[in-house]
Amino acid sequence: MSTTSSAAVIGILVLGVAAGVASYMIQTHIEQSEISVVSKERLLSVSTDSDGKSSSKYRNFVYSDAETYVVEDSLWNGHFTSSTVYAKIQEGARCRVTLAGYRFGFLSMFQNIIEVECGA
């Protein structure tokens, strides 16, 4: 392998590790907050691959008076109960939430609600 090829492989490995570490650090950032839920919705996206096979994915959004959140499963947080958490969220309620991640609007990244307790 030439020196240029070796440098390219090392560069790709370093970028891959850096991306993995950054993803882990972002997703494992946990904070508590209290939000006023304005509304929530489940959006369906359907895609078709080049062979004509289609696949679908739901994404749960929660809109508060100040921010937009998602409710999704998360491998990094060991959170696999997003449907249950989403069902507990009540429109018009004040909710105490546990959030994972950060909000990066330019990357369309939202904080993830991983736990919730709603009052009336």
Side-chain angles (χ1 to χ4, degrees):
M1 195 181 299
S2 71
T3 306
T4 306
S5 298
S6 296
V9 168
I10 291 171
I12 290 169
L13 288 173
V14 167
L15 285 174
V17 169
V21 168
S23 173
Y24 175 78
M25 291 175 69
I26 289 169
Q27 293 303 317
T28 57
H29 168 80
I30 304 294
E31 65 182 81
Q32 304 284 322
S33 186
E34 195 165 308
I35 64 171
S36 293
V37 178
V38 175
S39 66
K40 65 180 191 174
E41 68 180 334
R42 175 174 274 178
L43 298 178
L44 171 66
S45 64
V46 179
S47 60
T48 306
D49 66 15
S50 59
D51 296 330
K53 289 183 174 181
S54 62
S55 63
S56 60
K57 178 182 178 184
Y58 284 99
R59 197 146 188 223
N60 302 314
F61 287 91
V62 175
Y63 307 101
S64 76
D65 55 350
E67 188 66 70
T68 299
Y69 304 95
V70 294
V71 183
E72 343 184 273
D73 292 336
S74 171
L75 177 67
W76 290 125
N77 302 106
H79 168 67
F80 303 105
T81 59
S82 62
S83 293
T84 303
V85 170
Y86 184 74
K88 290 179 182 178
I89 296 171
Q90 303 166 8
E91 291 185 3
R94 191 110 180 112
C95 300
R96 180 103 178 116
V97 295
T98 301
L99 303 167
Y102 295 97
R103 171 74 168 115
F104 293 117
F106 66 96
L107 295 175
S108 294
M109 289 176 59
F110 301 91
Q111 286 186 293
N112 186 14
I113 299 174
I114 58 174
E115 290 180 20
V116 66
E117 286 183 31
C118 291

